[in-house]
Coordinates of all heavy atoms in Angstrom, one line a residue:
M18 N -7.2 17.5 -12.6 CA -5.8 17.0 -12.6 C -5.0 18.3 -12.7 O -5.0 18.9 -13.7 CB -5.7 16.0 -13.7 CG -4.3 15.5 -13.9 SD -4.4 14.2 -15.1 CE -2.7 14.0 -15.5
N19 N -3.9 18.4 -11.9 CA -3.0 19.3 -12.0 C -1.7 18.9 -12.8 O -0.9 18.1 -12.4 CB -2.4 19.7 -10.5 CG -1.5 20.9 -10.6 OD1 -0.9 21.3 -11.6 ND2 -1.2 21.3 -9.4
L20 N -1.6 19.4 -14.0 CA -0.5 19.0 -14.9 C 0.9 19.4 -14.4 O 1.9 18.8 -14.8 CB -0.8 19.5 -16.3 CG -2.0 19.0 -17.1 CD1 -2.1 19.7 -18.4 CD2 -1.9 17.5 -17.1
F21 N 0.9 20.4 -13.4 CA 2.1 21.0 -13.0 C 2.6 20.3 -11.7 O 3.6 20.7 -11.0 CB 2.1 22.4 -12.9 CG 1.8 23.1 -14.2 CD1 0.6 23.6 -14.6 CD2 2.7 23.1 -15.1 CE1 0.3 24.1 -15.7 CE2 2.6 23.7 -16.4 CZ 1.3 24.1 -16.7
R22 N 1.8 19.3 -11.2 CA 2.2 18.7 -9.9 C 3.4 17.9 -10.0 O 3.5 17.1 -10.8 CB 0.9 17.8 -9.6 CG 1.0 17.2 -8.3 CD -0.2 16.5 -7.8 NE -0.7 15.4 -8.6 CZ -1.7 14.5 -8.3 NH1 -2.3 14.7 -7.3 NH2 -1.8 13.4 -9.0
R23 N 4.4 18.2 -9.1 CA 5.6 17.3 -9.1 C 5.3 16.1 -8.5 O 4.5 15.9 -7.5 CB 6.6 18.1 -8.2 CG 7.7 18.8 -9.1 CD 8.7 19.5 -8.1 NE 9.5 18.5 -7.6 CZ 10.2 18.7 -6.5 NH1 10.3 19.8 -5.9 NH2 11.2 17.8 -6.1
T24 N 5.9 15.0 -9.0 CA 5.8 13.7 -8.4 C 7.1 13.1 -7.9 O 8.1 13.6 -8.4 CB 5.1 12.7 -9.5 OG1 6.1 12.6 -10.6 CG2 3.8 13.2 -10.0
T25 N 6.9 12.3 -6.9 CA 8.1 11.7 -6.3 C 8.1 10.2 -6.9 O 7.1 9.5 -6.5 CB 8.0 11.7 -4.7 OG1 8.0 13.0 -4.3 CG2 9.2 11.1 -4.1
P26 N 9.1 9.8 -7.5 CA 9.1 8.4 -7.9 C 9.2 7.4 -6.6 O 9.8 7.8 -5.6 CB 10.4 8.2 -8.6 CG 10.8 9.6 -9.0 CD 10.3 10.4 -8.0
W27 N 8.3 6.4 -6.6 CA 8.2 5.6 -5.5 C 8.0 4.1 -5.9 O 7.7 3.8 -7.1 CB 7.1 5.9 -4.6 CG 5.7 6.0 -5.4 CD1 5.2 7.2 -6.0 CD2 4.8 5.0 -5.5 NE1 4.0 6.7 -6.6 CE2 3.7 5.5 -6.3 CE3 4.7 3.7 -5.0 CZ2 2.6 4.6 -6.5 CZ3 3.6 2.8 -5.4 CH2 2.6 3.4 -6.1
S28 N 8.2 3.2 -5.0 CA 8.0 1.8 -5.1 C 7.3 1.3 -3.8 O 7.3 1.9 -2.8 CB 9.3 1.0 -5.5 OG 10.1 1.2 -4.3
L29 N 7.0 0.0 -3.9 CA 6.4 -0.6 -2.6 C 7.4 -1.6 -2.0 O 8.0 -2.2 -2.8 CB 5.1 -1.4 -2.9 CG 3.9 -0.6 -3.5 CD1 2.8 -1.5 -3.8 CD2 3.5 0.4 -2.4
A30 N 7.5 -1.5 -0.6 CA 8.5 -2.5 0.0 C 7.9 -3.8 0.0 O 6.7 -4.0 0.1 CB 8.6 -1.9 1.5
D31 N 8.8 -4.8 -0.1 CA 8.4 -6.2 0.1 C 8.4 -6.6 1.5 O 9.4 -6.8 2.1 CB 9.5 -7.0 -0.7 CG 9.2 -8.5 -0.8 OD1 8.5 -9.1 0.2 OD2 9.5 -9.1 -1.7
A32 N 7.2 -6.7 2.1 CA 6.9 -6.9 3.5 C 7.5 -8.3 3.9 O 8.0 -8.4 5.0 CB 5.4 -6.8 3.8
G33 N 7.3 -9.2 3.0 CA 7.8 -10.6 3.4 C 9.4 -10.6 3.5 O 9.9 -11.2 4.5
A34 N 10.1 -9.9 2.7 CA 11.5 -9.8 2.8 C 11.9 -9.0 4.1 O 12.8 -9.4 4.7 CB 12.1 -9.1 1.6
R35 N 11.2 -8.0 4.4 CA 11.5 -7.2 5.6 C 11.2 -8.1 6.9 O 12.0 -8.0 7.9 CB 10.7 -6.0 5.6 CG 11.3 -4.9 4.6 CD 10.7 -3.6 4.9 NE 11.2 -2.6 4.0 CZ 11.1 -1.3 4.0 NH1 10.3 -0.8 5.0 NH2 11.6 -0.5 3.2
H36 N 10.2 -8.9 6.8 CA 9.9 -9.8 7.9 C 10.9 -10.8 8.1 O 11.3 -11.1 9.2 CB 8.4 -10.4 7.7 CG 8.1 -11.4 8.8 ND1 7.8 -11.1 10.0 CD2 8.0 -12.8 8.6 CE1 7.6 -12.2 10.7 NE2 7.7 -13.3 9.8
A37 N 11.4 -11.4 7.0 CA 12.3 -12.5 7.1 C 13.7 -11.8 7.6 O 14.4 -12.5 8.4 CB 12.7 -13.0 5.6
A38 N 13.9 -10.6 7.3 CA 15.2 -10.0 7.9 C 15.0 -9.6 9.4 O 16.0 -9.6 10.1 CB 15.5 -8.7 7.1
A39 N 13.9 -9.3 9.8 CA 13.6 -8.9 11.2 C 12.2 -9.4 11.7 O 11.3 -8.6 12.0 CB 13.7 -7.4 11.4
P40 N 12.1 -10.8 11.9 CA 10.9 -11.4 12.2 C 10.2 -10.9 13.6 O 9.0 -10.9 13.8 CB 11.1 -12.9 12.2 CG 12.6 -13.0 12.4 CD 13.2 -11.7 11.8
D41 N 11.0 -10.6 14.5 CA 10.6 -10.1 15.9 C 10.0 -8.6 15.8 O 9.3 -8.3 16.7 CB 11.7 -10.3 16.9 CG 12.0 -11.8 17.1 OD1 11.2 -12.6 16.9 OD2 13.2 -12.0 17.5
T42 N 10.6 -7.8 15.0 CA 10.2 -6.4 14.9 C 9.4 -6.1 13.7 O 8.7 -4.9 13.8 CB 11.4 -5.4 15.1 OG1 12.3 -5.8 14.0 CG2 12.2 -5.8 16.4
F43 N 9.4 -6.7 12.7 CA 8.6 -6.4 11.5 C 7.6 -7.5 11.3 O 7.9 -8.5 10.6 CB 9.5 -6.2 10.3 CG 8.8 -5.4 9.2 CD1 8.9 -4.0 9.0 CD2 8.0 -6.1 8.2 CE1 8.2 -3.3 8.0 CE2 7.4 -5.4 7.2 CZ 7.5 -4.0 7.1
R44 N 6.5 -7.3 11.7 CA 5.3 -8.4 11.6 C 4.5 -8.1 10.3 O 4.3 -6.9 10.0 CB 4.5 -8.4 12.8 CG 5.3 -8.6 14.1 CD 4.5 -8.9 15.2 NE 5.2 -9.1 16.5 CZ 5.7 -10.2 16.9 NH1 5.8 -11.2 16.1 NH2 6.6 -10.2 18.0
V45 N 4.1 -9.2 9.8 CA 3.2 -9.2 8.6 C 2.0 -10.2 8.9 O 2.1 -11.0 9.6 CB 3.9 -9.5 7.3 CG1 4.9 -8.5 7.1 CG2 4.5 -10.9 7.4
P46 N 0.9 -10.0 8.2 CA -0.2 -10.9 8.1 C 0.2 -12.4 7.7 O 1.3 -12.4 6.9 CB -1.3 -10.3 7.2 CG -0.8 -8.9 7.0 CD 0.6 -8.9 7.2
S47 N -0.5 -13.4 8.1 CA -0.2 -14.6 7.6 C -0.4 -14.8 6.1 O -1.2 -14.0 5.5 CB -1.0 -15.7 8.5 OG -2.4 -15.5 8.1
D48 N 0.1 -15.8 5.5 CA -0.1 -16.2 4.1 C -1.6 -16.3 3.9 O -2.3 -15.9 2.9 CB 0.7 -17.3 3.7 CG 2.2 -17.1 3.6 OD1 2.5 -15.9 3.5 OD2 2.9 -18.1 3.6
A49 N -2.3 -17.0 4.9 CA -3.7 -17.3 4.7 C -4.6 -16.0 4.7 O -5.5 -15.9 3.9 CB -4.2 -18.2 5.8
A50 N -4.0 -15.1 5.6 CA -4.8 -13.7 5.6 C -4.7 -12.9 4.4 O -5.6 -12.4 3.9 CB -4.3 -12.9 6.9
T51 N -3.4 -13.0 3.8 CA -3.3 -12.1 2.6 C -3.9 -12.9 1.4 O -4.4 -12.2 0.4 CB -1.7 -11.9 2.3 OG1 -1.0 -13.2 2.3 CG2 -1.1 -11.0 3.3
A52 N -3.9 -14.2 1.5 CA -4.7 -14.9 0.4 C -6.1 -14.6 0.4 O -6.7 -14.8 -0.7 CB -4.4 -16.5 0.5
A53 N -6.7 -14.5 1.6 CA -8.1 -14.2 1.6 C -8.5 -12.7 1.5 O -9.7 -12.4 1.6 CB -8.5 -14.6 3.1
L54 N -7.6 -11.9 1.1 CA -8.0 -10.4 0.8 C -9.0 -10.4 -0.2 O -9.1 -11.0 -1.2 CB -6.8 -9.7 0.3 CG -5.7 -9.1 1.2 CD1 -4.5 -8.6 0.6 CD2 -6.4 -7.9 2.0
A55 N -10.0 -9.5 0.1 CA -11.2 -9.4 -0.7 C -11.5 -7.9 -1.0 O -11.1 -7.1 -0.3 CB -12.4 -10.0 0.0
V56 N -12.4 -7.7 -1.9 CA -12.8 -6.3 -2.3 C -13.5 -5.8 -1.1 O -14.3 -6.4 -0.4 CB -13.8 -6.4 -3.5 CG1 -14.4 -5.0 -3.7 CG2 -13.0 -6.8 -4.7
G57 N -13.1 -4.6 -0.7 CA -13.6 -3.9 0.5 C -12.7 -3.9 1.7 O -12.8 -3.1 2.6
D58 N -11.8 -4.9 1.7 CA -10.9 -4.9 2.8 C -9.9 -3.8 2.7 O -9.8 -3.1 1.6 CB -10.1 -6.2 2.7 CG -10.8 -7.5 3.1 OD1 -11.9 -7.4 3.6 OD2 -10.3 -8.6 2.8
R59 N -9.3 -3.4 3.8 CA -8.2 -2.4 3.8 C -6.9 -3.1 4.0 O -6.7 -4.0 4.7 CB -8.4 -1.4 4.9 CG -9.6 -0.5 4.5 CD -9.9 0.6 5.6 NE -9.1 0.7 6.7 CZ -8.4 1.8 7.1 NH1 -8.6 2.8 6.6 NH2 -7.8 1.6 8.3
A60 N -5.9 -2.7 3.2 CA -4.6 -3.2 3.3 C -3.5 -2.1 3.5 O -3.7 -1.1 2.9 CB -4.2 -4.0 2.0
K61 N -2.7 -2.3 4.4 CA -1.5 -1.3 4.7 C -0.4 -1.7 3.9 O 0.0 -2.9 3.9 CB -1.3 -1.2 6.1 CG -0.2 0.0 6.4 CD 0.0 0.1 7.9 CE -1.1 0.9 8.5 NZ -0.8 1.2 10.0
L62 N 0.2 -0.7 3.1 CA 1.4 -0.8 2.3 C 2.5 0.1 2.8 O 2.1 1.2 3.2 CB 1.1 -0.6 0.8 CG -0.2 -1.3 0.2 CD1 -0.4 -0.8 -1.1 CD2 0.0 -2.8 0.2
V63 N 3.7 -0.3 2.6 CA 4.8 0.6 2.8 C 5.3 1.3 1.5 O 5.8 0.5 0.7 CB 6.0 -0.1 3.5 CG1 7.2 0.9 3.7 CG2 5.6 -0.7 4.8
V64 N 5.1 2.5 1.4 CA 5.4 3.2 0.1 C 6.9 3.8 0.3 O 7.1 4.5 1.2 CB 4.4 4.3 -0.3 CG1 4.9 5.0 -1.6 CG2 3.0 3.7 -0.4
V65 N 7.7 3.5 -0.5 CA 9.1 3.8 -0.4 C 9.6 5.0 -1.5 O 9.6 4.5 -2.8 CB 10.1 2.7 -0.4 CG1 11.6 3.2 -0.3 CG2 9.7 1.6 0.5
P66 N 9.7 6.3 -1.2 CA 10.0 7.1 -2.3 C 11.6 7.1 -2.7 O 12.4 6.4 -1.8 CB 9.8 8.5 -1.6 CG 10.1 8.1 -0.1 CD 9.5 6.8 0.0
R67 N 11.9 7.5 -3.8 CA 13.3 7.5 -4.3 C 14.1 8.3 -3.2 O 15.2 7.9 -2.9 CB 13.5 7.9 -5.6 CG 14.9 7.8 -6.1 CD 15.1 8.3 -7.5 NE 14.8 9.7 -7.6 CZ 14.5 10.4 -8.7 NH1 14.4 9.6 -9.9 NH2 14.2 11.6 -8.7
D68 N 13.6 9.4 -2.9 CA 14.2 10.3 -1.9 C 13.2 10.6 -0.7 O 12.1 10.9 -1.1 CB 14.7 11.6 -2.5 CG 15.8 11.4 -3.7 OD1 16.7 10.7 -3.4 OD2 15.5 12.0 -4.8
G69 N 13.6 10.7 0.4 CA 12.7 10.9 1.5 C 12.3 9.9 2.4 O 12.9 8.7 2.3
L70 N 11.4 10.1 3.3 CA 10.9 9.1 4.2 C 9.8 8.2 3.6 O 8.8 8.7 3.0 CB 10.3 9.8 5.5 CG 11.4 10.7 6.1 CD1 10.7 11.5 7.3 CD2 12.5 9.9 6.8
E71 N 9.9 6.8 4.0 CA 8.8 5.9 3.6 C 7.6 6.2 4.4 O 7.7 6.7 5.5 CB 9.3 4.6 3.5 CG 9.7 4.0 5.0 CD 10.3 2.7 4.9 OE1 11.1 2.3 3.9 OE2 9.9 1.8 5.7
E72 N 6.5 5.7 3.9 CA 5.2 5.9 4.6 C 4.4 4.6 4.5 O 4.4 4.0 3.5 CB 4.4 7.1 3.9 CG 5.0 8.5 4.2 CD 4.0 9.5 3.7 OE1 2.9 9.6 4.1 OE2 4.5 10.4 2.7
R73 N 3.7 4.4 5.6 CA 2.7 3.3 5.6 C 1.3 3.8 5.3 O 0.9 4.8 6.0 CB 2.7 2.7 6.9 CG 4.0 1.9 7.2 CD 4.1 1.2 8.6 NE 5.3 0.6 8.8 CZ 5.5 -0.6 9.4 NH1 4.5 -1.3 9.8 NH2 6.7 -1.0 9.6
L74 N 0.7 3.4 4.2 CA -0.6 3.9 3.8 C -1.6 2.8 3.5 O -1.2 1.8 3.2 CB -0.4 4.7 2.5 CG 0.6 5.9 2.5 CD1 0.8 6.3 1.1 CD2 0.1 6.9 3.3
W75 N -2.8 3.2 4.0 CA -3.9 2.3 3.7 C -4.6 2.4 2.4 O -4.7 3.5 1.9 CB -5.1 2.5 4.8 CG -4.7 2.0 6.2 CD1 -4.2 2.8 7.2 CD2 -4.7 0.8 6.7 NE1 -4.0 2.0 8.3 CE2 -4.3 0.7 8.0 CE3 -5.1 -0.5 6.1 CZ2 -4.2 -0.4 8.8 CZ3 -5.0 -1.7 6.9 CH2 -4.5 -1.6 8.3
V76 N -4.9 1.3 1.7 CA -5.7 1.3 0.5 C -6.9 0.4 0.8 O -6.9 -0.6 1.5 CB -4.9 0.7 -0.7 CG1 -3.8 1.6 -1.0 CG2 -4.4 -0.6 -0.6
R77 N -7.9 0.8 0.2 CA -9.2 -0.1 0.2 C -9.2 -0.9 -1.2 O -9.0 -0.4 -2.1 CB -10.5 0.8 0.3 CG -11.7 -0.1 0.2 CD -13.0 0.5 0.9 NE -12.8 1.3 2.1 CZ -12.7 0.7 3.4 NH1 -12.9 -0.6 3.5 NH2 -12.7 1.4 4.4
V78 N -9.2 -2.2 -1.0 CA -9.1 -3.1 -2.1 C -10.3 -2.9 -2.9 O -11.4 -3.1 -2.5 CB -8.9 -4.6 -1.5 CG1 -8.8 -5.5 -2.8 CG2 -7.7 -4.7 -0.7
T79 N -10.0 -2.8 -4.3 CA -11.1 -2.6 -5.3 C -11.1 -3.8 -6.3 O -12.2 -4.0 -6.9 CB -11.0 -1.3 -6.0 OG1 -9.7 -1.2 -6.6 CG2 -11.2 -0.1 -5.1
Q80 N -10.0 -4.5 -6.4 CA -9.9 -5.6 -7.3 C -8.9 -6.5 -6.8 O -7.8 -6.2 -6.3 CB -9.4 -5.1 -8.8 CG -10.5 -4.3 -9.5 CD -9.9 -4.0 -10.9 OE1 -8.8 -4.6 -11.4 NE2 -10.6 -3.4 -11.7
V81 N -9.2 -7.9 -6.9 CA -8.4 -8.9 -6.4 C -8.1 -9.7 -7.7 O -9.0 -10.3 -8.4 CB -9.1 -9.7 -5.4 CG1 -8.2 -10.9 -5.0 CG2 -9.4 -8.9 -4.1
G82 N -6.8 -9.9 -7.9 CA -6.3 -10.8 -9.0 C -5.2 -11.6 -8.5 O -4.9 -11.6 -7.3
D83 N -4.6 -12.3 -9.4 CA -3.4 -13.2 -9.0 C -2.4 -12.9 -10.0 O -2.5 -13.4 -11.3 CB -3.9 -14.6 -9.0 CG -2.8 -15.5 -8.4 OD1 -2.1 -15.0 -7.6 OD2 -2.7 -16.7 -8.8
P84 N -1.3 -12.3 -9.8 CA -0.8 -12.0 -8.4 C -1.2 -10.6 -8.0 O -1.0 -10.2 -6.8 CB 0.7 -12.0 -8.6 CG 1.0 -11.6 -10.0 CD -0.2 -12.1 -10.8
E85 N -1.6 -9.7 -8.9 CA -1.8 -8.2 -8.5 C -3.2 -8.0 -8.0 O -4.3 -8.5 -8.4 CB -1.7 -7.4 -9.8 CG -0.5 -6.5 -9.7 CD -0.3 -5.5 -10.9 OE1 -1.3 -5.5 -11.7 OE2 0.7 -5.0 -11.0
L86 N -3.3 -7.1 -7.1 CA -4.5 -6.5 -6.5 C -4.5 -5.0 -6.8 O -3.4 -4.5 -7.3 CB -4.5 -6.8 -5.0 CG -4.6 -8.1 -4.5 CD1 -3.2 -8.7 -4.2 CD2 -5.4 -8.3 -3.3
E87 N -5.6 -4.4 -6.6 CA -5.6 -2.9 -6.8 C -6.5 -2.3 -5.8 O -7.4 -3.0 -5.2 CB -6.4 -2.7 -8.2 CG -6.3 -1.3 -8.7 CD -6.8 -1.2 -10.0 OE1 -6.1 -1.5 -11.0 OE2 -7.9 -0.8 -10.2
G88 N -6.1 -1.1 -5.3 CA -6.8 -0.5 -4.2 C -6.7 1.0 -4.4 O -6.0 1.5 -5.3
V89 N -7.5 1.7 -3.6 CA -7.7 3.1 -3.6 C -7.0 3.7 -2.4 O -7.5 3.2 -1.3 CB -9.1 3.6 -3.9 CG1 -9.2 5.1 -3.8 CG2 -9.6 3.1 -5.2
L90 N -6.2 4.7 -2.5 CA -5.6 5.2 -1.2 C -6.6 5.9 -0.3 O -7.5 6.6 -0.9 CB -4.6 6.3 -1.6 CG -3.2 5.8 -2.0 CD1 -2.4 7.1 -2.4 CD2 -2.5 5.2 -0.9
S91 N -6.6 5.6 0.9 CA -7.6 6.1 1.9 C -7.3 7.5 2.5 O -8.2 8.2 2.8 CB -7.7 5.1 3.1 OG -8.2 3.9 2.6
S92 N -6.0 7.9 2.3 CA -5.7 9.2 2.8 C -4.4 9.8 2.0 O -3.7 9.1 1.3 CB -5.3 9.1 4.3 OG -4.2 8.3 4.4
D93 N -4.2 11.0 2.2 CA -3.0 11.7 1.5 C -1.8 11.4 2.2 O -1.7 11.4 3.4 CB -3.2 13.2 1.5 CG -4.4 13.8 0.7 OD1 -4.6 13.1 -0.4 OD2 -5.0 14.8 1.0
P94 N -0.7 11.0 1.4 CA 0.6 10.9 2.0 C 1.1 12.2 2.5 O 0.8 13.2 1.9 CB 1.5 10.3 0.9 CG 0.6 9.9 -0.2 CD -0.7 10.7 0.0
V95 N 2.0 12.2 3.5 CA 2.6 13.4 4.1 C 3.8 13.8 3.2 O 4.0 14.9 2.9 CB 3.0 13.1 5.5 CG1 3.7 14.3 6.1 CG2 1.7 12.8 6.4
E96 N 4.7 12.8 2.9 CA 5.9 13.1 2.3 C 5.9 13.0 0.7 O 6.6 13.7 0.1 CB 7.0 12.2 2.8 CG 7.3 12.3 4.3 CD 8.2 13.5 4.5 OE1 9.0 14.0 3.6 OE2 7.9 14.1 5.5
L97 N 5.1 12.0 0.2 CA 5.1 11.9 -1.2 C 4.3 12.8 -2.0 O 3.2 13.2 -1.6 CB 4.5 10.4 -1.5 CG 5.4 9.3 -1.0 CD1 4.5 8.0 -1.0 CD2 6.6 9.1 -1.8
R98 N 4.9 13.3 -3.1 CA 4.2 14.2 -3.9 C 3.7 13.4 -5.2 O 4.4 12.6 -5.7 CB 5.1 15.3 -4.5 CG 5.6 16.2 -3.3 CD 6.6 17.3 -3.8 NE 7.2 17.9 -2.7 CZ 7.5 19.1 -2.8 NH1 7.3 19.8 -3.9 NH2 8.0 19.7 -1.7
G99 N 2.5 13.8 -5.6 CA 2.0 13.0 -6.8 C 1.0 12.0 -6.4 O 0.4 11.3 -7.2
L100 N 0.8 11.5 -5.1 CA 0.0 10.6 -4.6 C -1.1 11.2 -3.8 O -0.6 12.0 -3.0 CB 0.6 9.5 -3.9 CG 1.2 8.3 -4.6 CD1 1.8 7.3 -3.6 CD2 0.2 7.6 -5.5
R101 N -2.3 10.9 -4.0 CA -3.4 11.5 -3.2 C -4.5 10.5 -2.7 O -4.6 9.5 -3.5 CB -4.1 12.7 -3.8 CG -3.1 13.8 -4.2 CD -3.9 15.0 -4.7 NE -2.9 16.1 -4.9 CZ -3.2 17.2 -5.6 NH1 -4.3 17.3 -6.2 NH2 -2.3 18.2 -5.7
A102 N -5.2 10.8 -1.7 CA -6.4 10.0 -1.4 C -7.2 9.8 -2.7 O -7.4 10.8 -3.5 CB -7.2 10.6 -0.3
G103 N -7.7 8.6 -2.9 CA -8.4 8.3 -4.1 C -7.7 7.8 -5.3 O -8.3 7.2 -6.3
D104 N -6.4 8.0 -5.2 CA -5.5 7.4 -6.3 C -5.5 5.9 -6.3 O -5.5 5.3 -5.2 CB -4.1 7.9 -6.3 CG -3.9 9.4 -6.6 OD1 -4.9 10.0 -7.2 OD2 -2.8 9.8 -6.5
T105 N -5.4 5.3 -7.5 CA -5.3 3.7 -7.5 C -3.9 3.4 -7.4 O -3.0 3.9 -8.0 CB -5.9 3.3 -8.9 OG1 -7.2 3.8 -9.0 CG2 -5.8 1.8 -9.1
V106 N -3.7 2.2 -6.6 CA -2.4 1.6 -6.5 C -2.5 0.2 -6.7 O -3.4 -0.4 -6.2 CB -1.8 1.9 -5.0 CG1 -0.5 1.2 -4.7 CG2 -1.9 3.4 -4.6
R107 N -1.6 -0.3 -7.5 CA -1.6 -1.8 -7.9 C -0.4 -2.3 -6.9 O 0.7 -1.7 -6.8 CB -1.2 -2.1 -9.2 CG -2.4 -1.6 -10.2 CD -2.0 -2.2 -11.6 NE -3.2 -2.1 -12.4 CZ -3.4 -1.2 -13.3 NH1 -2.4 -0.3 -13.6 NH2 -4.4 -1.2 -14.0
F108 N -0.8 -3.5 -6.4 CA 0.2 -4.1 -5.4 C 0.0 -5.6 -5.3 O -0.9 -6.2 -6.0 CB 0.0 -3.6 -4.0 CG -1.3 -3.8 -3.4 CD1 -1.6 -4.9 -2.5 CD2 -2.4 -3.0 -3.7 CE1 -2.9 -5.2 -1.9 CE2 -3.7 -3.2 -3.2 CZ -3.9 -4.2 -2.2
E109 N 0.9 -6.3 -4.8 CA 0.9 -7.8 -4.6 C 0.7 -8.2 -3.2 O 1.0 -7.3 -2.3 CB 2.2 -8.5 -5.2 CG 2.3 -8.1 -6.7 CD 3.6 -8.8 -7.2 OE1 4.2 -9.6 -6.6 OE2 3.9 -8.3 -8.4
R110 N 0.3 -9.4 -2.9 CA 0.2 -9.8 -1.5 C 1.5 -9.6 -0.6 O 1.4 -9.3 0.5 CB -0.3 -11.2 -1.4 CG -1.8 -11.2 -1.8 CD -2.3 -12.7 -2.1 NE -3.7 -12.7 -2.5 CZ -4.2 -12.5 -3.7 NH1 -3.3 -12.2 -4.7 NH2 -5.5 -12.5 -4.0
R111 N 2.6 -9.7 -1.3 CA 3.8 -9.7 -0.5 C 4.1 -8.2 0.0 O 5.0 -8.0 0.7 CB 5.0 -10.1 -1.5 CG 5.3 -9.2 -2.7 CD 6.3 -9.8 -3.6 NE 6.4 -9.0 -4.9 CZ 7.3 -7.9 -5.0 NH1 8.2 -7.8 -4.0 NH2 7.3 -7.4 -6.1
H112 N 3.4 -7.2 -0.5 CA 3.6 -5.9 -0.2 C 2.7 -5.5 1.1 O 2.9 -4.5 1.7 CB 3.1 -4.9 -1.3 CG 4.0 -5.0 -2.4 ND1 3.6 -5.3 -3.7 CD2 5.3 -5.0 -2.6 CE1 4.4 -5.3 -4.6 NE2 5.6 -5.2 -4.0
V113 N 1.8 -6.4 1.5 CA 0.8 -6.1 2.6 C 1.5 -6.3 4.0 O 2.1 -7.3 4.2 CB -0.4 -6.9 2.4 CG1 -1.4 -6.7 3.6 CG2 -1.1 -6.7 1.1
V114 N 1.4 -5.2 4.8 CA 1.9 -5.2 6.1 C 0.8 -5.3 7.2 O 1.1 -5.7 8.4 CB 2.9 -4.0 6.5 CG1 4.1 -4.1 5.6 CG2 2.2 -2.7 6.4
A115 N -0.4 -5.0 6.8 CA -1.5 -5.2 7.7 C -2.8 -5.2 7.0 O -2.9 -4.8 5.9 CB -1.5 -4.0 8.7
I116 N -3.8 -5.9 7.6 CA -5.1 -6.0 6.9 C -6.3 -5.7 8.0 O -6.2 -6.1 9.1 CB -5.3 -7.4 6.5 CG1 -4.3 -7.8 5.5 CG2 -6.8 -7.7 5.9 CD1 -4.3 -9.3 5.1
T117 N -7.2 -4.9 7.5 CA -8.5 -4.8 8.1 C -9.6 -5.2 7.3 O -9.9 -4.6 6.2 CB -8.7 -3.2 8.5 OG1 -7.6 -2.8 9.4 CG2 -10.0 -3.1 9.4
P118 N -10.2 -6.3 7.7 CA -11.3 -6.8 6.9 C -12.4 -5.9 6.8 O -12.7 -5.2 7.8 CB -11.7 -8.1 7.6 CG -10.6 -8.5 8.5 CD -10.0 -7.2 8.9
A119 N -13.2 -5.9 5.7 CA -14.4 -5.1 5.5 C -15.4 -5.6 6.5 O -15.5 -6.7 6.9 CB -14.9 -5.3 4.0
V120 N -16.2 -4.7 7.1 CA -17.3 -4.9 7.9 C -18.4 -5.4 7.0 O -18.9 -4.6 6.2 CB -17.6 -3.8 8.8 CG1 -18.8 -4.2 9.7 CG2 -16.4 -3.3 9.5
P121 N -19.0 -6.6 7.3 CA -20.2 -7.1 6.5 C -21.4 -6.3 6.9 O -21.5 -5.8 8.0 CB -20.2 -8.6 6.8 CG -19.6 -8.7 8.1 CD -18.5 -7.6 8.2
P122 N -22.3 -5.9 5.9 CA -23.5 -5.3 6.2 C -24.3 -6.1 7.2 O -24.4 -7.3 7.1 CB -24.2 -5.1 4.9 CG -23.5 -6.0 3.9 CD -22.2 -6.4 4.5
S123 N -25.0 -5.4 8.1 CA -25.8 -6.2 9.1 C -27.3 -6.2 8.7 O -27.8 -5.6 7.8 CB -25.7 -5.6 10.4 OG -25.7 -4.2 10.5

């Protein structure tokens, strides 16, 4: 852990609110799809920094609760400082903009 690492304050965009404002251009998964999120699935979130450009980042779901879920970032953000691949992110279903279900073992 780098104690001198600068961090950028951030929040998660409410995908449902963005979809309601622009339903033809900002698509989100169905309520049924977000309700079915399970450990191992990948969820895409929009991370909004206080300053700078927002980023869409994938997390692998590690815990499913109600209302909160938890996931681990799959890659390093480009713009955000203080977040890295492997970091834990807590989110709600309303934050999810895309889902890739886990591939079941064959």
Side-chain angles (χ1 to χ4, degrees):
M18 180 172 165
N19 182 350
L20 297 177
F21 300 102
R22 183 169 71 168
R23 254 179 80 198
T24 60
T25 302
W27 56 272
S28 61
L29 295 173
D31 185 328
R35 288 190 176 191
H36 173 70
D41 294 332
T42 57
F43 196 94
R44 301 195 185 275
V45 294
S47 68
D48 290 341
T51 56
L54 274 167
V56 171
D58 291 346
R59 289 181 356 128
K61 187 180 274 188
L62 311 173
V63 178
V64 181
V65 182
R67 185 178 62 201
D68 299 313
L70 301 172
E71 62 186 41
E72 295 185 55
R73 293 179 183 219
L74 299 171
W75 287 101
V76 296
R77 180 152 320 272
V78 178
T79 55
Q80 288 186 3
V81 176
D83 190 29
E85 246 184 12
L86 297 94
E87 194 170 277
V89 174
L90 278 178
S91 298
S92 61
D93 289 329
V95 174
E96 294 287 326
L97 294 165
R98 295 177 189 215
L100 274 181
R101 294 188 177 167
D104 284 350
T105 299
V106 176
R107 288 193 173 104
F108 61 99
E109 296 176 18
R110 287 169 179 80
R111 66 187 174 94
H112 297 128
V113 177
V114 298
I116 298 169
T117 301
V120 178
S123 39

